[in-house]
Amino acid sequence: MAELTYRDAVIRGIAQEMSRDEDVVFLGEDVAKAGGVFKATVGLYEKFGPLRVRDTPISEQAILGAAMGAAMTGLKPIAEIMFSDFFAVCFDYIANEFPKSRYMTNGQTKCPLVVRTGNGAGSRFGAQHSQSVENWCMMIPGLKVVAPSSPIDVIGLLAASVRDPDPVIFLEHKSLYATKGEVPDGEILDKLGTAKILRPGKDATIVALALMVPRALAAAEKLAAEHGIDCEVIDVRSLVPLDTQTILGSVARTGRCFSVEENPRLCGWGAEIMSIIADEAFYDLDGPLVRITTPHCPLPAADILEDAILPSVDRIVDRVKRTLNS
Amino acid sequence: MLDKAAAQTAVNDDIGEEIRLELYRSQVNIREAEQRAYDLFLQNLVKGTSHLSLGQEAVAAGFATAMKKGDLSFCTYRGHAHTLARGVPVEKVLGELMQRDNGLMRGKGGSMHLTSEEHGVMGSYAIIGAHLPIACGAAWRAQYKKQDDVSVCFFGDGTTNIGAFHEALNFAAVWKLPVIFVCENNLYMEYTPIGDVTAVPSPAGDRASAYGLEKIVIDGNDADVVYRTAKKAFDKARAGGGPSLIECLTYRHSGHSRADPAKYRPEGELERWKLRDPIKIYRERLKQFGVTDETIAKIDADVKRVVDEATEACKAAPNPPMDILFTDVYADGGFAWRN
Ligand SMILES: Cc1ncc(C[n+]2csc(CCOP(=O)(O)OP(=O)(O)O)c2C)c(N)n1
Ligand SMILES: [Mg+2]
């Protein structure tokens, strides 16, 4: 057992998989000699050498296209897109190529690859380096979409993603890189499509993802301590596949559900979850389904503005409290 | 601007009769199948869309004949020709164009996505430029695993103006990848003359120097020239010499897609190019080398018979069954996204 940062967990996760399987290769901008702009790949180049850990030009389409061609022909590439906002310049691969090739070819084409990316706000980088783009990915049939919130999940879910035979978008939250958590020694392998109940509770269910998970947990503690409201907090972890059974089971017990989403409001992942609950668990509900999201607005750079726009612990506490008391 | 040296050596007997007959058969096969696809389109039996390579047969035949088993082809939506040239049966191609159950992908992909991995046809891509980086990735795998196959990526003149082209060329050059980029310059991007939208006269050739590559512009209507040029590029790639960019000058006899009458072409242009019809050129070539009319006629008849039989088989083939509708979205064979 050791305490590890989320950042070091990324390094350990990649190293674990590269040590296990020679077909796992890694490419991206500044990832090799420089160790990544977030220092989340330091030491991999030294450990695995220049043939397996490769710096690329600033060519996001070439990075993803090359990953796909390698995946189709036998490798298991991990590709890094530095900021998830840059998905917009290589979206053809994410939207058209990775996810459709198997279907269009009647199962001939395989695409076992992982795209890792720095997602999310909190760094005061402004509207084009801070977005939460999980909803861009979730809406595309053929992709899998994963977003861990803790170091141990980073390793386990990254390993599961590398070993998965489908294309996986792996969203690392930039504001979590410095956070720490306990991680056991030895190999760690988790399972995609499994949500985790991080805090049991009986009054309301809160579903959250990535950076919103620690905020939901803090809000739950505050709601319990100050308002006597006992919340169950679920880390969704994997948007596709989506573990709806864990969520529906929780809502059946609590009768209430709140989502805490960093993505802008329209078509956020929580909307899909809420619609499933409305369809399938309507008679379990004791009140409205409430989404707490970033508003439908670009992200500002200034710290006080950025802090104001994201769902905060206080906003979560306030919405849950008002909804349950009304 | 043709490579004069290559044109002059076009009649040298370094190719040999066996390969020449294959180059001819392959071109005739493409011609016959493409013409049939057009006829079937007019009868509403080829559905959706279709992009023919009538007039461009020499490029597909020349490259495919120069390939070894295991070499990989990456095509565009104008990919019937390259798919056929790798030996995929006509029935499988026509079946997909007709969206029948006997098609290459049982109608799930359609004419723009012909794929037959067992023949080395690693997909046909309908988003302009997408497959150049993908071909780089396949070549990277060969380099990394020390396998000696080469990836060949075919695309049009219009494709040289999209970002992915430039990203892929630079990437392949920097990583010294065993990949060959083949630009089929048929003078048009869809309906617009390529010269109207391109800063240089040779859309691919004049870009080569930007990536440290040799400018190679050849007569794409002479299968011998294509074959020889391809051979050189394969040798270079297999020897670790990195990528090549080859511009093949050619012309499509049909419209861009479907039943496009191609009214945007200046009068006389098509007729001039038909004088340089690759199949006509090649028939003459065979005769120069002493191949008899009888041999040629037999190849023509054999090809026609196979295309006729394929047509009948496709007409008789059932539609795809509903039970494939939701298969192969994910690797588990299904489309489940939740529990
Ligand atoms: C990214 C993208 N933009 C536009 C199109 C529409 N489109 C299809 S074919 C084509 C022309 C391509 O010309 P060229 O590369 O010369 O190939 P050709 O059709 O002549 O073989 C265009 C613009 C597309 N499929 N993808
Ligand atoms: Mg063209």
Side-chain angles (χ1 to χ4, degrees):
Chain A
M1 202 67 141
E3 187 164 73
L4 216 59
T5 61
Y6 188 98
R7 167 183 291 116
D8 288 337
V10 173
I11 300 172
R12 189 164 135 193
I14 298 173
Q16 173 186 303
E17 293 309 294
M18 291 188 76
S19 306
R20 181 185 59 78
D21 183 351
E22 286 222 329
D23 287 341
V24 179
V25 288
F26 176 43
L27 79 169
E29 293 161 21
D30 290 327
V31 300
K33 289 180 196 145
V37 293
F38 302 114
K39 299 287 166 225
T41 58
V42 171
L44 293 171
Y45 175 79
E46 290 72 16
K47 191 166 170 122
F48 298 103
L51 294 180
R52 297 184 66 192
V53 179
R54 299 198 70 164
D55 282 323
T56 69
I58 308 168
S59 300
E60 279 75 13
Q61 299 188 71
I63 293 168
L64 294 194
M68 177 169 167
M72 285 166 67
T73 55
L75 297 185
K76 305 224 178 71
I78 303 172
E80 176 175 313
I81 297 296
M82 194 184 288
F83 286 80
S84 64
D85 313 67
F86 307 163
F87 278 9
V89 302
C90 50
F91 206 54
D92 178 38
Y93 296 93
I94 294 168
N96 291 319
E97 311 300 340
F98 303 160
K100 314 255 159 60
S101 55
R102 181 183 291 272
Y103 184 83
M104 291 195 304
T105 63
N106 193 37
Q108 290 180 65
T109 301
K110 291 153 191 63
C111 196
L113 58 80
V114 177
V115 181
R116 293 180 41 244
T117 190
N119 192 47
S123 305
R124 299 26 177 138
F125 287 164
Q128 298 177 343
H129 287 71
S130 307
Q131 295 173 86
S132 285
V133 305
E134 51 272 17
N135 50 342
W136 295 5
C137 307
M138 188 189 186
M139 65 188 176
I140 300 164
L143 289 183
K144 291 180 176 171
V145 185
V146 178
S149 72
S150 65
I152 185 169
D153 281 3
V154 165
I155 301 172
L157 292 174
L158 186 60
S161 300
V162 171
R163 298 180 202 191
D164 195 272
D166 289 307
V168 180
I169 306 296
F170 193 83
L171 302 156
E172 295 163 16
H173 202 293
K174 298 195 287 292
S175 290
L176 290 173
Y177 277 131
T179 60
K180 291 182 177 164
E182 289 290 319
V183 174
D185 300 331
E187 184 182 271
I188 302 177
L189 176 62
D190 208 322
K191 202 166 173 294
L192 303 188
T194 52
K196 247 192 206 167
I197 298 175
L198 295 183
R199 181 193 195 282
K202 58 181 187 347
D203 297 330
T205 299
I206 303 177
V207 290
L209 192 76
L211 181 65
M212 296 299 107
V213 171
R215 292 189 185 188
L217 284 168
E221 292 312 320
K222 218 167 158 182
L223 282 159
E226 296 173 14
H227 306 286
I229 298 172
D230 184 19
C231 291
E232 181 145 305
V233 177
I234 297 180
D235 183 350
V236 180
R237 305 200 315 154
S238 165
L239 293 176
V240 184
L242 184 64
D243 180 3
T244 55
Q245 293 313 313
T246 296
I247 297 167
L248 289 166
S250 173
V251 173
R253 291 190 297 275
T254 64
R256 300 273 186 169
C257 192
F258 298 82
S259 67
V260 187
E261 303 165 53
E262 188 176 333
N263 49 213
R265 185 168 188 88
L266 301 192
C267 306
W269 56 264
E272 187 56 53
I273 289 179
M274 294 310 191
S275 100
I276 292 169
I277 296 170
D279 272 352
E280 299 175 26
F282 186 74
Y283 298 105
D284 292 335
L285 294 176
D286 299 324
L289 296 164
V290 176
R291 295 176 60 212
I292 302 158
T293 76
T294 297
H296 191 56
C297 179
L299 294 170
D303 51 5
I304 61 163
L305 297 178
E306 193 185 46
D307 287 342
I309 205 166
L310 300 185
S312 62
V313 173
D314 286 344
R315 202 197 305 168
I316 301 166
V317 168
D318 182 59
R319 278 313 300 273
V320 173
K321 183 185 64 180
R322 280 196 290 122
T323 307
L324 265 69
N325 290 342
S326 66
Chain B
M1 219 188 22
L2 296 179
D3 181 336
K4 284 277 167 13
Q8 274 156 13
T9 56
V11 292
N12 282 355
D13 194 16
D14 57 333
I15 291 178
E17 181 164 304
E18 193 184 334
I19 286 172
R20 280 224 169 76
L21 290 178
E22 173 51 24
L23 285 166
Y24 179 70
R25 196 206 55 80
S26 178
Q27 292 182 83
V28 173
N29 185 47
I30 296 165
R31 172 67 53 96
E32 195 71 31
E34 289 286 64
Q35 188 58 52
R36 186 63 50 90
Y38 184 73
D39 297 343
L40 291 166
F41 185 86
L42 295 183
Q43 295 167 43
N44 206 22
L45 287 168
V46 164
K47 296 182 215 160
T49 189
S50 148
H51 302 76
L52 305 177
S53 292
L54 291 169
Q56 303 183 199
E57 295 90 346
V59 179
F63 270 92
T65 306
M67 286 182 202
K68 288 189 180 162
K69 193 169 168 15
D71 288 334
L72 303 178
S73 304
F74 294 81
C75 322
T76 69
Y77 49 89
R78 198 180 303 289
H80 318 165
H82 298 291
T83 304
L84 291 164
R86 293 304 304 274
V88 177
V90 178
E91 181 189 330
K92 291 267 169 200
V93 171
L94 282 183
E96 191 65 27
L97 268 57
M98 292 166 72
Q99 308 185 349
R100 302 291 169 111
D101 197 34
N102 66 339
L104 256 186
M105 298 96 76
R106 304 183 72 188
K108 288 179 79 169
S111 78
M112 296 200 284
H113 299 292
L114 297 178
T115 303
S116 183
E117 293 202 355
E118 64 174 298
H119 294 90
V121 181
M122 301 303 288
S124 300
Y125 297 79
I127 308 294
I128 299 292
H131 60 318
L132 282 85
I134 296 171
C136 288
W140 173 32
R141 179 267 323 150
Q143 182 187 62
Y144 175 70
K145 298 195 114 179
K146 301 188 167 56
Q147 294 163 341
D148 88 330
D149 61 281
V150 175
S151 293
V152 187
C153 183
F154 301 97
F155 52 90
D157 43 284
T159 303
T160 65
N161 290 326
I162 203 163
F165 168 87
H166 298 274
E167 289 195 13
L169 262 291
N170 182 61
F171 190 91
V174 174
W175 287 25
K176 270 201 151 192
L177 297 174
V179 58
I180 303 175
F181 299 104
V182 182
C183 175
E184 295 185 67
N185 181 0
N186 61 10
L187 311 187
Y188 289 88
M189 57 147 287
E190 235 163 43
Y191 312 143
T192 303
I194 195 62
D196 290 3
V197 290
T198 308
V200 289
S202 293
D206 289 335
R207 263 72 176 258
S209 68
Y211 305 107
L213 300 175
E214 186 190 347
K215 173 175 176 175
I216 304 173
V217 181
I218 63 167
D219 180 357
N221 278 15
D222 186 327
D224 281 359
V225 175
V226 175
Y227 175 81
R228 280 194 193 96
T229 310
K231 274 270 187 206
K232 260 171 69 181
F234 280 109
D235 290 346
K236 175 182 161 187
R238 282 191 237 279
S244 300
L245 172 62
I246 298 166
E247 178 173 332
C248 303
L249 289 177
T250 184
Y251 194 80
R252 60 170 153 74
H253 293 173
S254 54
H256 167 70
S257 65
R258 297 166 57 92
D260 166 27
K263 291 274 169 49
Y264 43 84
R265 304 203 273 216
E267 212 175 308
E269 187 179 78
L270 174 61
E271 290 65 31
R272 277 198 308 284
W273 275 92
K274 278 195 167 171
L275 297 175
R276 303 210 64 258
D277 180 333
I279 289 176
K280 206 154 81 185
I281 290 175
Y282 217 73
R283 244 180 230 137
E284 291 310 310
R285 181 76 38 78
L286 291 183
K287 287 184 195 173
Q288 263 176 295
F289 281 93
V291 176
T292 62
D293 285 341
E294 212 181 0
T295 305
I296 293 172
K298 181 167 183 322
I299 292 174
D300 292 351
D302 285 349
V303 164
K304 185 169 181 312
R305 181 177 43 75
V306 171
V307 173
D308 285 343
E309 284 168 9
T311 307
E312 291 318 307
C314 292
K315 283 180 177 168
N319 288 321
M322 283 303 143
D323 65 14
I324 64 166
L325 190 50
F326 298 119
T327 59
D328 291 318
V329 176
Y330 292 101
D332 63 7
F335 78 126
W337 55 274
R338 58 170 286 198
N339 58 7

